[in-house]
């Protein structure tokens, strides 16, 4: 797999060299290709130093999220958690807004991808952000008009409540 190439190219400091090829694959229409590319991008990002996450991976996520074609936006939904923790506060706010845009995209497949990857973002988001932004977005997506989006609510709620007290969970869900 591609992430196993990172040591062969000199480690995390050179991992950014793999990003252009993976980005091209993440833009493809084929679901399996796109999914494997996102999985590989997440794995490669986990080996990159924070500075490179910001200089190389963050622009990639923004490009995919702003893509005209929906496959790019689907892929972007799976990458936000990879760059969120290493981002400064101002950038985190921008990332959350971009993620929210994906969660409210006109294409059900993009909304579905955002919902599918919401637990990963919830895991790395600050608790106050989880409560004030992520949970309301969860509640909105759990009542989406498309059943393909709504069907993920049960699995996602388990991941979402893990960072909340029982009282908080009862109030929010």
């Amino acid at each position: 797999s591609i992430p196993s190439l990172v040591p062969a190219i000199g480690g995390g400091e050179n991992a950014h060299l793999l990003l252009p090829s993976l980005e091209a694959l993440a833009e493809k229409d084929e679901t399996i290709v796109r999914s494997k590319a996102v999985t590989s991008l997440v794995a490669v990002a986990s080996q990159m130093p924070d500075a490179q996450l910001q200089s190389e991976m963050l622009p990639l996520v923004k490009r995919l999220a702003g893509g005209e074609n929906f496959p790019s936006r689907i892929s972007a939904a799976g990458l936000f958690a990879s760059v969120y923790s290493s981002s400064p506060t101002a950038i985190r706010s921008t990332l959350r807004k971009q993620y929210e845009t994906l969660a409210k995209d006109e294409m059900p497949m993009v909304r579905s991808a955002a919902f599918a990857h919401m637990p990963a973002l919830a895991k790395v988001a600050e608790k106050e952000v989880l409560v004030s932004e992520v949970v309301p977005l969860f509640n909105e997506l759990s009542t989406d008009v498309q059943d393909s989006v709504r069907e993920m609510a049960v699995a996602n709620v388990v991941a979402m409540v893990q960072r909340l007290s029982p009282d908080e969970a009862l109030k929010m869900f």
Side-chain angles (χ1 to χ4, degrees):
S1 71
I2 291 177
S4 65
L5 292 175
V6 173
I9 61 170
E13 294 293 325
N14 295 315
H16 67 279
L17 298 172
L18 299 172
L19 298 183
S21 297
L22 290 171
E23 181 177 8
L25 293 171
E27 295 174 321
K28 298 296 180 194
D29 286 334
E30 296 85 8
T31 303
I32 293 172
V33 171
R34 194 172 55 243
S35 176
K36 293 287 186 185
V38 169
T39 301
S40 293
L41 280 163
V42 169
V44 168
S46 72
Q47 299 179 59
M48 295 172 71
D50 286 352
Q52 278 194 356
L53 283 173
Q54 292 304 299
S55 66
E56 304 289 338
M57 187 71 176
L58 180 62
L60 181 150
V61 172
K62 289 181 174 184
R63 281 191 304 274
L64 290 173
E68 288 184 29
N69 298 322
F70 73 90
S72 297
R73 298 192 308 274
I74 290 171
S75 292
L79 301 173
F80 280 85
S82 297
V83 296
Y84 189 83
S85 295
S86 67
S87 297
T89 304
I91 300 292
R92 288 180 181 188
S93 176
T94 302
L95 286 170
R96 291 191 310 270
K97 285 182 177 109
Q98 286 183 304
Y99 185 83
E100 181 179 8
T101 299
L102 295 178
K104 295 179 177 184
D105 196 275
E106 65 185 40
M107 297 293 293
M109 290 93 54
V110 177
R111 293 194 310 272
S112 183
F115 204 15
H117 294 287
M118 188 176 281
L121 183 60
K123 191 175 186 179
V124 297
E126 303 86 342
K127 187 168 182 181
E128 60 274 6
V129 169
L130 174 67
V131 170
S132 66
E133 295 180 37
V134 181
V135 169
L137 195 55
F138 169 90
N139 289 333
E140 187 175 329
L141 288 169
S142 67
T143 59
D144 193 272
V145 296
Q146 292 288 323
D147 58 348
S148 62
V149 176
R150 289 190 316 266
E151 69 187 14
M152 285 181 269
V154 174
N156 283 359
V157 77
V158 173
M160 301 287 288
V161 299
Q162 291 178 351
R163 295 205 37 222
L164 302 172
S165 71
D167 288 340
E168 289 171 323
L170 284 172
K171 289 177 188 172
M172 291 180 208
F173 293 104

